[in-house]
Amino acid sequence: MFRINLKIAFRNLVKNRVYAAINICGLAIGLTAFILLLLYINHENSYDRWSPELNRVYQLRERHDFFTPDNKQYWQEVNDSKVAALVRENIPQFKYVTKVDNTWGSGSSIKAGSSDPVMMDYIRDADSSFFKVFDYQFLQGDPVTALNQPNSIVLKQRTAIQLFGTDQVLGKEVKIVMWRTDKGTPMKITGIVAEPDMPESLLFDAIMHTGEKDKDPINYTNFCRVYALAGSDIDTAAVNALLQKTYVDFKKSSFVQRKISFTDVYKTGKTPGLKAIPLKEVHASPPFDISWTDQIKPVIALSVFLLLISVINFVNLATAQSAQRAREVGVRKVLGAFKKQLMVQFLLESAIQCLFALFLSIALVELLLPMFNTYFEINLSFWYSHQLLGILTQLAAVFITITLLAGLYPAVVLTNYQPVAVLKGNYQHGFKGVRLRNGLVILQFMIAVILMISIGVMKLQTSYMADKNLGYNKAQLININTNYDEGFVNHIRRLPGVQYVASTTQVMGNVFNMPEEISYQNQNYNMNTVTVTMDALPALGVEVVNGRMFSAKYGQDTVNTVVLNQTAANLLGKNIIAKSYDVKSENEKYTFQIVGIIKDYHNEGFDKAVLPTIYKVTMLGGTSSTNNLLVRFNTVNYQPVIKAIEKEWRALYPDFPMIYTSAEDTFQQQLKSSHRLVQMIFLFSIVSVALSLLGLFALSAFMAERKIKEIAIRKIMGATDFQVINMLNRSFLILVALANLVSWPIAYVLINKWLQGFAYRIDMPFMPFLMATFMSMIVSILTITIRARKAAVSNPVEALKYE
Amino acid sequence: MIELKDIEKYYASKGVKSYILRHVSTTIKQGEFVSIMGPSGAGKSTLLNILGMLEEPTYGSYSFMGEDVTTLNERKRIELYRNHIGFVFQAYHLIDEMTVEENIEAPLLYKKVPGAERRSRVADILDRFNMVAKKDLFPNQLSGGQQQLVGIARALVAQPSIILADEPTGNLQSAQALQIMELFKKLNEEEGITIIQVTHSEVNAAYGSRILHLLDGVIKEDVNL
Ligand SMILES: Nc1ncnc2c1ncn2[C@@H]1O[C@H](COP(=O)(O)OP(=O)(O)OP(=O)(O)O)[C@@H](O)[C@H]1O
Ligand SMILES: [Mg+2]
């Protein structure tokens, strides 16, 4: 039975090969997007799962407002280093606790023997417990003792091979230079660990033990990451309650020592907090950015839509063909076939097409993966993926779902044919499920039209962002990743082509915001403070609105004058130039004079509003230097100048390569994430629209075919080709028009929501709506007309004879 | 074998009942060869469809092999088709995507006849109908008469107790028609299969043992030959 059903299914496929090809290709495209998405989700889900031991590893997160983009509190992965000791002493559930550097994105230089130094992003300093918490597989060396001695280092296998060309390097030495002026420390290699076969959230090239992490500084705070290994399975909620209590007690006692009151610090809605989250959840819950699960939600929606469109094509074509199969159903029933058996037969036919589509899409995935990988800077693979079995199960599930979605309704329609109606020979040519099919065509076009409107608006918003005046001049500006060092700065300031050399704690790509409360005319305001050198504002090329920028002419500028940005000035009111405000510190009061107001400039993406900001040259506000050295050139052709700067650098710091980025690149990087979404939606939309049209084409082709006789008779009665084409067009155009009507409000709501996510956005434009409607109508008319013409211009006699 | 009591069939449209069959009562015994005759529109096909349970009468009762089948669910009905009833159609209604052999085999598949027996029965029938050479052809590669032979072979292969045929020779030339009638007669006499056919032809009707004359939905004459 199965064999013969299979045979018949194939014969039917061959007979209706054009429609079958359309079905299969459409489904394959829908499935390809879906499989890529699955691979991506699987990859993101595979973080920190390379060892079963990791189930018991937790990351500590402290709630604080340092290093945040908007001076609000976040659960952060960089903690006060004292947290480690606190956890070790107070939480018995954790067997080992380890502290490890957050690298802040500034690399270290590592040098093997006399070869050139190599910059590596992730050489992390840890205490001696690191490998007790993280169960890395040691190829050489002993995990228990590897980090016991200060100045020992454990390399990843690939790091060893990159530096030495071999991994047989146990006992050898490397020299680590952590910052530009660092003298460098020789470290003994005490271990080589294998690269895990799944991604890690705590990336490293090497783990070193300098000894710094063995103690906590007393007078200031050192920030690092803290991880802990539980002795056995723990009740996370209970442990977190204990952590919170311990932490609050710790904060209170430390405030007592520093003579500050607890309620004072946490009065403005801020609360202290410490918790542990399972390592497995770390990747999915980044402290600031939206997590990948939220990021890909629109993509999931898009792929589901795409799949839906191809399934709709499938259902529509299958039900349209049902009239053809009706007789067969009638005959089979009187031959003794139960409905269930017929159902199985028709589902089998859908299954075969879905299976073809699945194979085709796997081939497509293989073909597209390299492109996909470069585009998303990710490394996915289908066959070599560690969860091949998982993927195959998922695909089986997708296959079954699609088969049922695509095949069930047509099968129900078909098996419901009553033999008498068919066999009497006078059954209607009327197609069953016309209403459903029309509904599906509308749905399909709704998706297509909404997507078209979306890309229109998104394109407008992105070009608005790309062209928007940032408030500073990003051309001819580079940012060297280093501190402001007067000696070096004097060297390069003399180079021809260099206009300004300056430093700031706030520049796009590396922002370090410091919250501060000021009191102006007896009122308190929360401001953001930025420390700059004298030349920083002119180096950025920001505009003065009122007053002046800092200048060496005014001696007090290094003491107590400030420049505000427009947003901050607006908060304080009118006529504020030359006025003063106060900042209260622990026991003193500082007074600052406002000397100028500058235009707001952007240092985050356009989704974030510019913070009210105070710019100071003084160190009285207290903030550290944050590795920005801005260099503005006064020539367009500044590549040779950079070469000259690099030469100066090498002469001074031979063991530490110079790292820099241009302001232009940083800006493009900033745009990239929203750009990617737009491009992805663009791609999906094009494919969806194409699939919808393909479906429409097939459907109209089919209708034309069924109506050949009607067309022939009409022509004999004197209808012109145009009238015939019109007749075919009308039925579909009504559907497309209806779809447009429904799409407009839905698109409006969705896009408005997307636009709300940008602090700087365009007004809702009308053009994309019009364009989408116009396009959808024109293209469907063209599609149907091509098909209808063929039917219309055929010789009526042929058609009638054939019947 | 078949007992119809007071069968009525009408379609109501706009409140007006148009009767197709009125007060049809008759009994058909096992082994009879009945021809239903009458002018076009008399209700012959309707009656045959009711006999084949393809349509339900609006009124009256129908018992088939001692069982009341006036209203049956689809599953029960199809079980009767599997085991007792073979259909032959004027338009043959072979399945286009299946070869001659596969068409004949289809009812046996549904009846879950084991493979070996299935093959031998199909081979048997092909042999009997002289169609062995054509077994791998598709219906559209056969002449009308050949297609109808396949249709009959398909009806016979499941060894039904009754064959219902609606104008089985309506599309055929007289020579082919006679061949089919000979076949029916033989099946009826040698294997005792009950046959009920609808026909317009006196000649065809003469092959049977009884003629029901239908006029405007009423049995006017019931002749035993
Ligand atoms: N679904 C229906 N609705 C209304 N009337 C119907 C329907 N089906 C059949 N009829 C009518 O029933 C009558 C009998 O039809 P039937 O097919 O039984 O005639 P017949 O005797 O087989 O004629 P022919 O020799 O032409 O095949 C016809 O007048 C037909 O118009
Ligand atoms: Mg008839």
Side-chain angles (χ1 to χ4, degrees):
Chain A
M1 179 83 104
F2 179 76
R3 227 187 54 228
I4 180 85
N5 276 345
L6 204 64
K7 247 196 249 175
I8 293 174
F10 273 109
R11 287 176 193 155
N12 264 314
L13 279 191
V14 175
K15 192 169 135 200
N16 295 316
R17 53 190 162 271
V18 178
Y19 302 115
I22 289 177
N23 272 346
I24 291 173
C25 292
L27 267 186
I29 291 171
L31 276 173
T32 305
F34 201 76
I35 293 176
L36 284 175
L37 183 73
L38 267 185
L39 287 178
Y40 182 76
I41 292 177
N42 287 343
H43 175 266
E44 293 295 293
N45 262 334
S46 69
Y47 268 81
D48 299 320
R49 279 167 178 69
W50 43 267
S51 160
E53 282 281 292
L54 298 176
N55 283 334
R56 290 187 286 123
V57 177
Y58 290 78
Q59 186 188 54
L60 273 300
R61 289 209 174 174
E62 192 185 1
R63 198 175 149 80
H64 61 82
D65 56 8
F66 287 109
F67 325 114
T68 63
D70 49 9
N71 291 335
K72 297 209 175 80
Q73 277 195 318
Y74 288 89
W75 287 103
Q76 299 207 47
E77 41 181 12
V78 282
N79 306 326
D80 181 342
S81 66
K82 297 184 188 78
V83 161
L86 198 67
V87 171
R88 200 176 286 127
E89 282 155 24
N90 293 290
I91 317 291
Q93 284 93 330
F94 289 127
K95 203 161 100 187
Y96 293 110
V97 181
T98 186
K99 291 189 279 183
V100 57
D101 259 348
N102 191 52
T103 55
W104 309 106
S106 54
S108 300
S109 152
I110 182 166
K111 190 171 163 176
S114 58
S115 54
D116 278 343
V118 180
M119 253 343 245
M120 288 200 177
D121 285 337
Y122 300 108
I123 296 179
R124 296 180 192 269
D125 189 12
D127 61 17
S128 56
S129 309
F130 184 83
F131 289 106
K132 296 189 177 104
V133 173
F134 289 97
D135 177 35
Y136 279 92
Q137 187 205 340
F138 270 68
L139 301 173
Q140 293 169 56
D142 177 6
V144 182
T145 58
L147 295 180
N148 276 2
Q149 298 305 315
N151 295 342
S152 49
I153 188 166
V154 173
L155 306 183
K156 277 265 180 78
Q157 188 182 24
R158 63 172 160 76
T159 312
I161 290 173
Q162 188 188 345
L163 290 174
F164 294 93
T166 165
D167 60 0
Q168 304 296 312
V169 293
L170 202 65
K172 290 200 176 152
E173 265 191 3
V174 286
K175 188 172 159 194
I176 305 284
V177 181
M178 278 175 270
W179 60 92
R180 195 185 44 177
T181 51
D182 184 9
K183 293 277 169 300
T185 318
M187 302 253 175
K188 189 173 161 203
I189 300 172
T190 52
I192 304 291
V193 293
E195 184 75 29
D197 54 6
M198 281 194 240
E200 317 144 85
S201 63
L202 183 76
L203 286 174
F204 68 87
D205 302 306
I207 295 287
M208 59 184 176
H209 179 216
T210 57
E212 280 293 311
K213 288 278 175 294
D214 293 342
K215 51 192 186 284
D216 292 316
I218 297 164
N219 294 323
Y220 61 98
T221 308
N222 197 335
F223 285 92
C224 65
R225 298 199 197 182
V226 179
Y227 295 88
L229 175 74
S232 56
D233 291 342
I234 59 170
D235 174 0
T236 316
V239 168
N240 276 338
L242 185 56
L243 273 172
Q244 178 69 16
K245 187 184 165 298
T246 312
Y247 181 73
V248 171
D249 290 347
F250 158 75
K251 276 283 173 194
K252 280 184 176 156
S253 68
S254 84
F255 287 150
V256 169
Q257 276 170 26
R258 287 159 58 194
K259 299 193 183 67
I260 347 174
S261 100
F262 181 82
T263 40
D264 243 15
V265 174
Y266 292 114
K267 67 182 171 205
T268 49
K270 297 187 173 172
T271 50
L274 181 67
K275 66 175 180 180
I277 67 169
L279 185 67
K280 279 202 232 173
E281 288 165 22
V282 166
H283 179 66
S285 38
F288 309 118
D289 296 335
I290 51 169
S291 70
W292 67 269
T293 43
D294 288 332
Q295 267 172 19
I296 62 166
K297 268 182 196 152
V299 184
I300 294 181
L302 284 174
S303 345
V304 169
F305 281 154
L306 198 59
L307 206 54
L308 198 64
I309 286 179
S310 45
V311 167
I312 289 177
N313 275 350
F314 194 106
V315 173
N316 279 350
L317 274 180
T319 54
Q321 283 173 45
S322 66
Q324 256 186 8
R325 305 289 301 271
R327 198 180 60 124
E328 183 187 334
V329 172
V331 174
R332 282 180 185 276
K333 279 191 176 175
V334 302
L335 289 183
F338 287 137
K339 211 164 160 179
K340 214 171 71 193
Q341 292 171 308
L342 291 174
M343 199 84 160
V344 170
Q345 185 198 334
F346 290 121
L347 280 178
L348 180 73
E349 294 190 10
S350 310
I352 289 172
Q353 301 195 41
C354 291
L355 202 64
F356 273 128
L358 192 65
F359 286 139
L360 194 59
S361 62
I362 290 175
L364 274 174
V365 166
E366 280 291 291
L367 205 71
L368 292 178
L369 257 187
M371 261 191 285
F372 186 86
N373 281 338
T374 23
Y375 190 67
F376 290 99
E377 290 158 11
I378 202 171
N379 190 15
L380 301 181
S381 94
F382 187 80
W383 298 111
Y384 311 107
S385 95
H386 309 287
Q387 306 127 312
L388 187 60
L389 198 72
I391 286 183
L392 291 183
T393 347
Q394 286 166 343
L395 285 188
V398 169
F399 167 69
I400 291 169
T401 317
I402 296 294
T403 302
L404 288 180
L405 268 181
L408 201 58
Y409 180 73
V412 167
V413 167
L414 275 171
T415 51
N416 269 336
Y417 273 113
Q418 283 307 310
V420 63
V422 194
L423 299 176
K424 258 171 139 182
N426 69 344
Y427 75 103
Q428 305 282 305
H429 258 269
F431 306 97
K432 289 237 179 170
V434 176
R435 219 177 291 156
L436 178 96
R437 196 160 57 241
N438 287 347
L440 290 180
V441 169
I442 292 178
L443 181 64
Q444 211 172 25
F445 269 82
M446 266 171 58
I447 296 174
V449 169
I450 291 174
L451 285 174
M452 282 198 281
I453 297 175
S454 311
I455 44 177
V457 179
M458 285 177 153
K459 282 265 160 202
L460 289 176
Q461 170 71 15
T462 32
S463 60
Y464 165 79
M465 291 193 292
D467 299 340
K468 187 171 172 10
N469 188 350
L470 289 171
Y472 70 94
N473 182 1
K474 62 184 190 297
Q476 300 169 35
L477 182 67
I478 65 165
N479 184 5
I480 303 177
N481 190 355
T482 185
N483 287 345
Y484 190 86
D485 176 271
E486 205 58 51
F488 177 65
V489 168
N490 282 336
H491 267 285
I492 61 174
R493 195 174 267 144
R494 285 200 304 268
L495 293 173
V498 173
Q499 190 179 5
Y500 293 110
V501 183
S503 179
T504 167
T505 56
Q506 183 199 54
V507 62
M508 189 175 275
N510 184 15
V511 178
F512 183 85
N513 289 326
M514 280 293 288
E516 188 174 69
E517 198 182 48
I518 66 164
S519 131
Y520 174 74
Q521 297 186 342
N522 296 323
Q523 211 159 346
N524 288 351
Y525 298 92
N526 283 312
M527 295 288 190
N528 174 40
T529 56
V530 168
T531 308
V532 293
T533 57
M534 206 69 96
D535 279 347
L537 295 177
L540 283 167
V542 298
E543 278 177 54
V544 181
V545 178
N546 218 331
R548 61 173 179 86
M549 288 200 255
F550 300 114
S551 163
K553 281 186 286 186
Y554 304 90
Q556 88 203 82
D557 274 7
T558 51
V559 187
N560 64 353
T561 63
V562 298
V563 170
L564 303 191
N565 71 358
Q566 186 74 60
T567 307
N570 290 348
L571 268 185
L572 299 187
K574 288 192 169 34
N575 300 324
I576 56 172
I577 298 290
K579 300 249 172 74
S580 294
Y581 69 81
D582 300 327
V583 175
K584 288 198 194 76
S585 179
E586 281 167 30
N587 31 33
E588 278 161 275
K589 191 176 94 174
Y590 300 100
T591 302
F592 294 90
Q593 192 195 13
I594 301 165
V595 298
I597 299 169
I598 57 165
K599 239 179 160 171
D600 286 348
Y601 70 89
H602 292 272
N603 43 65
E604 301 273 354
F606 290 110
D607 50 338
K608 305 220 169 58
V610 173
L611 295 174
T613 306
I614 295 170
Y615 297 86
K616 299 177 188 170
V617 176
T618 167
M619 289 299 285
L620 282 180
T623 153
S624 57
S625 171
T626 56
N627 278 351
N628 290 316
L629 191 69
L630 303 178
V631 180
R632 162 149 324 269
F633 304 105
N634 52 19
T635 160
V636 182
N637 183 18
Y638 56 80
Q639 286 310 323
V641 191
I642 294 181
K643 287 267 163 334
I645 295 174
E646 271 182 322
K647 209 172 137 211
E648 294 284 344
W649 176 287
R650 257 199 309 278
L652 283 168
Y653 320 109
D655 284 346
F656 201 86
M658 181 173 111
I659 310 285
Y660 71 92
T661 50
S662 77
E664 185 65 53
D665 286 349
T666 314
F667 175 65
Q668 292 307 333
Q669 199 65 33
Q670 195 68 250
L671 281 185
K672 212 167 176 178
S673 68
S674 65
H675 233 95
R676 262 191 208 149
L677 181 67
V678 172
Q679 277 175 335
M680 189 121 78
I681 292 184
F682 191 71
L683 184 73
F684 272 84
S685 309
I686 302 251
V687 176
S688 305
V689 173
L691 277 184
S692 302
L693 288 175
L694 192 69
L696 195 66
F697 179 78
L699 210 53
S700 61
F702 201 85
M703 294 300 178
E705 207 169 280
R706 304 297 308 183
K707 284 190 172 172
I708 285 259
K709 196 170 161 191
E710 183 187 336
I711 292 170
I713 292 170
R714 276 174 193 271
K715 283 186 75 175
I716 287 173
M717 292 187 310
T720 62
D721 290 353
F722 177 74
Q723 282 167 319
V724 168
I725 292 172
N726 229 0
M727 173 188 97
L728 281 169
N729 257 322
R730 203 164 335 139
S731 51
F732 285 112
L733 272 188
I734 292 172
L735 300 183
V736 177
L738 220 62
N740 270 292
L741 209 68
V742 188
S743 305
W744 277 33
I746 299 178
Y748 185 89
V749 171
L750 286 179
I751 292 166
N752 206 30
K753 195 160 167 245
W754 181 74
L755 280 178
Q756 295 302 325
F758 291 90
Y760 302 90
R761 57 178 178 262
I762 52 173
D763 294 330
M764 179 70 79
F766 185 55
M767 224 27 209
F769 287 82
L770 268 189
M771 283 299 285
T773 297
F774 183 71
M775 292 269 288
S776 64
M777 298 295 261
I778 287 293
V779 180
S780 7
I781 289 176
L782 280 179
T783 311
I784 298 165
T785 304
I786 292 172
R787 201 39 243 196
R789 238 185 80 80
K790 209 175 140 201
V793 299
S794 60
N795 186 348
V797 181
E798 292 289 312
L800 290 178
K801 218 165 55 187
Y802 175 74
E803 282 275 320
Chain B
M1 169 171 224
I2 284 175
E3 224 182 301
L4 296 179
K5 253 195 222 132
D6 229 10
I7 293 290
E8 303 223 330
K9 177 87 184 172
Y10 59 79
Y11 291 100
S13 77
K14 292 172 191 151
V16 181
K17 290 179 190 171
S18 57
Y19 279 90
I20 317 291
L21 294 174
R22 307 201 76 153
H23 306 297
V24 174
S25 299
T26 190
T27 308
I28 295 168
K29 286 192 283 295
Q30 178 88 48
E32 280 193 280
F33 183 166
V34 183
S35 302
I36 303 173
M37 296 191 71
S40 192
K44 307 182 293 292
S45 297
T46 309
L47 179 58
L48 198 76
N49 284 341
I50 288 175
L51 288 173
M53 292 161 244
L54 294 170
E55 280 183 76
E56 279 181 15
T58 354
Y59 181 84
S61 73
Y62 172 19
S63 88
F64 182 84
M65 298 182 85
E67 190 186 350
D68 183 15
V69 296
T70 321
T71 55
L72 267 189
N73 66 24
E74 183 170 299
R75 197 177 173 86
K76 283 244 175 67
R77 211 168 61 224
I78 286 173
E79 245 156 45
L80 283 180
Y81 294 160
R82 277 188 189 179
N83 298 317
H84 299 293
I85 306 176
F87 286 91
V88 176
F89 306 98
Q90 177 178 2
Y92 327 130
H93 289 326
L94 300 180
I95 295 172
D96 295 334
E97 283 72 37
M98 289 163 101
T99 62
V100 167
E101 190 179 20
E102 287 163 358
N103 262 293
I104 296 176
E105 195 184 11
L108 298 180
L109 285 168
Y110 292 126
K111 230 178 139 175
K112 304 224 161 56
V113 175
E117 190 189 338
R118 214 165 58 218
R119 276 187 293 279
S120 85
R121 276 216 239 167
V122 173
D124 231 33
I125 282 231
L126 283 169
D127 197 33
R128 229 167 89 197
F129 282 61
N130 275 326
M131 309 262 329
V132 179
K134 306 225 172 340
K135 70 179 169 60
D136 290 326
L137 297 183
F138 286 92
N140 59 6
Q141 298 167 307
L142 298 178
S143 77
Q146 288 167 336
Q147 287 189 47
Q148 193 58 295
L149 277 179
V150 176
I152 295 169
R154 184 179 65 180
L156 279 178
V157 76
Q159 297 169 337
S161 29
I162 182 166
I163 285 183
L164 300 174
D166 193 347
E167 302 188 44
T169 60
N171 287 357
L172 300 180
Q173 290 179 347
S174 51
Q176 289 170 312
L178 290 186
Q179 191 192 353
I180 302 277
M181 283 303 121
E182 289 287 350
L183 183 61
F184 274 6
K185 193 179 165 81
K186 208 170 122 202
L187 288 170
N188 175 251
E189 285 172 356
E190 292 176 6
E191 298 181 25
I193 297 175
T194 312
I195 294 174
I196 303 176
Q197 67 163 344
V198 170
T199 180
H200 283 282
S201 147
E202 298 283 348
V203 181
N204 287 355
Y207 281 85
S209 58
R210 178 180 168 192
I211 300 175
L212 287 176
H213 279 281
L214 215 56
L215 190 66
D216 291 336
V218 179
I219 298 182
K220 282 276 151 192
E221 253 187 309
D222 186 346
V223 193
N224 278 306
L225 297 175

